[in-house]
Amino acid sequence: MNIFKSLKRNKVAMVGFGILFLLVIIAIFGPYLYDGSPWKMVQRPFLPPFQDSKFPLGTDTLGRDVLAGLIHGARISLLVGLISTAIALLIGIPLGAYAGYYGGWVDEVLMRFTEIFQTVPSFALAVVLVAIFEPTVYSITGAIAIVSWPPVARLVRGEFLSLRSQEYVLAAKLNGQTNRNIILKEILPNSLSPIIVLASLMVASAILLESSLSFLGLGDPEIMSWGYMIGAAKTVLRQAWWLSFIPGVAIAVTVLSLNLLGEGLNEALNPKLSGNREN
């Protein structure tokens, strides 16, 4: 409850939360409330925005409704960001926890394994992975998850290294609790604050990465997403700038809202930052 109270006091974080909440509502209910198909040709191509009340955002290169694509694309873009982040957390948290808790050779092996993925830039590695497999929403989500988990592992490792010598952990060991219970019930709950903040920022990065892949032609051609809309319009930037601008604004607003929420969570979960803000 204290977290929610702190967020309510942070107006910037509440703005981010409100925008994100609205986007989630659009992603869930938008395709049902606005029944226009994003793939159906409904008007002449390159219809500018606000020229036809039936298609307020105009049409694309094939005469498809841009607003329908924007609404349907919200679901895919958010799902890619959320699912890839969830997978990255499922990989990074256990590896970082074991490395930080056990230390020694376990730490060395797991961290060297992590560094293998960090030697190649994330975007370049994602491009290679998607290019190797057929570009689908599944391969894109998997590629983003693979390049996203190393920072999670390093963050969790650092938290476990600092917490494993705390008195409550030593008391749990003296009580005969297993290492598994100590990791899951004693240390991990006390490490969640920075993980939650990082996860909110990772969703934003995943949405940007999906958009970048689609812009390069590595998006799923059968799934409507904001990244796909930008990628499909990249050859007509001069002729129809709005086709890239509109989904670009949607991505920018989503990323901004996630960053604002992440900043608010950081302040709410970090007592020192909250205290400084009040002073």
Side-chain angles (χ1 to χ4, degrees):
M1 295 300 293
N2 292 332
I3 297 176
F4 295 107
K5 290 181 180 179
S6 299
L7 281 177
K8 287 181 180 179
R9 291 195 297 265
N10 191 327
K11 295 182 180 179
V12 175
M14 290 307 299
V15 170
F17 177 79
I19 296 173
L20 189 61
F21 180 78
L22 179 61
L23 290 171
V24 171
I25 295 299
I26 292 174
I28 296 175
F29 300 105
Y32 301 103
L33 299 177
Y34 191 85
D35 57 358
S37 171
W39 302 105
K40 185 178 180 181
M41 301 178 188
V42 294
Q43 250 284 6
R44 65 177 178 84
F46 303 113
L47 178 69
F50 312 117
Q51 297 292 319
D52 189 332
S53 60
K54 293 183 179 179
F55 314 107
L57 297 183
T59 59
D60 65 2
T61 57
L62 297 177
R64 299 173 297 194
D65 188 357
V66 174
L67 180 59
L70 201 67
I71 293 175
H72 285 76
R75 176 179 296 181
I76 297 301
S77 295
L78 289 175
L79 279 177
V80 169
L82 291 171
I83 294 176
S84 62
T85 299
I87 296 173
L89 292 175
L90 289 175
I91 298 173
I93 290 177
L95 291 179
Y98 277 97
Y101 180 77
Y102 289 104
W105 68 268
V106 176
D107 184 23
E108 286 291 326
V109 171
L110 293 179
M111 287 300 100
R112 297 298 82 75
F113 175 71
T114 302
E115 289 174 356
I116 293 175
F117 290 87
Q118 292 186 305
T119 55
V120 181
S122 299
F123 181 70
L125 180 57
V127 170
V128 171
L129 291 174
V130 175
I132 292 175
F133 302 97
E134 182 181 357
T136 65
V137 67
Y138 303 106
S139 63
I140 293 171
T141 303
I144 295 174
I146 289 174
V147 303
S148 300
W149 69 263
V152 179
R154 287 199 168 276
L155 174 66
V156 175
R157 171 184 176 267
E159 291 294 316
F160 270 67
L161 284 174
S162 63
L163 295 176
R164 68 179 183 180
S165 58
Q166 295 294 319
E167 292 182 357
Y168 64 88
V169 176
L170 299 177
K173 290 181 179 179
L174 291 176
N175 288 334
Q177 292 192 35
T178 62
N179 291 328
R180 183 173 179 271
N181 284 339
I182 294 174
I183 290 174
L184 294 177
K185 297 181 180 180
E186 301 294 338
I187 304 181
L188 185 58
N190 291 286
S191 306
L192 288 179
S193 297
I195 296 174
I196 292 173
V197 175
L198 178 61
S200 66
L201 300 177
M202 287 172 59
V203 175
S205 298
I207 293 174
L208 284 174
L209 188 53
E210 185 274 332
S211 303
S212 301
L213 291 171
S214 296
F215 184 81
L216 294 177
L218 295 174
D220 190 336
E222 299 181 359
I223 299 294
M224 183 62 68
S225 69
W226 294 337
Y228 171 82
M229 294 176 69
I230 295 177
K234 65 184 178 183
T235 58
V236 293
L237 284 174
R238 293 184 179 180
Q239 181 179 358
W241 56 269
W242 64 87
L243 297 180
S244 296
F245 177 78
I246 292 173
V249 169
I251 293 172
V253 170
T254 304
V255 171
L256 177 62
S257 66
L258 286 165
N259 285 328
L260 293 177
L261 181 59
E263 182 181 348
L265 287 171
N266 189 29
E267 293 186 2
L269 295 170
N270 192 328
K272 294 181 180 179
L273 290 178
S274 299
N276 293 336
R277 187 180 182 87
E278 293 175 358
N279 294 332

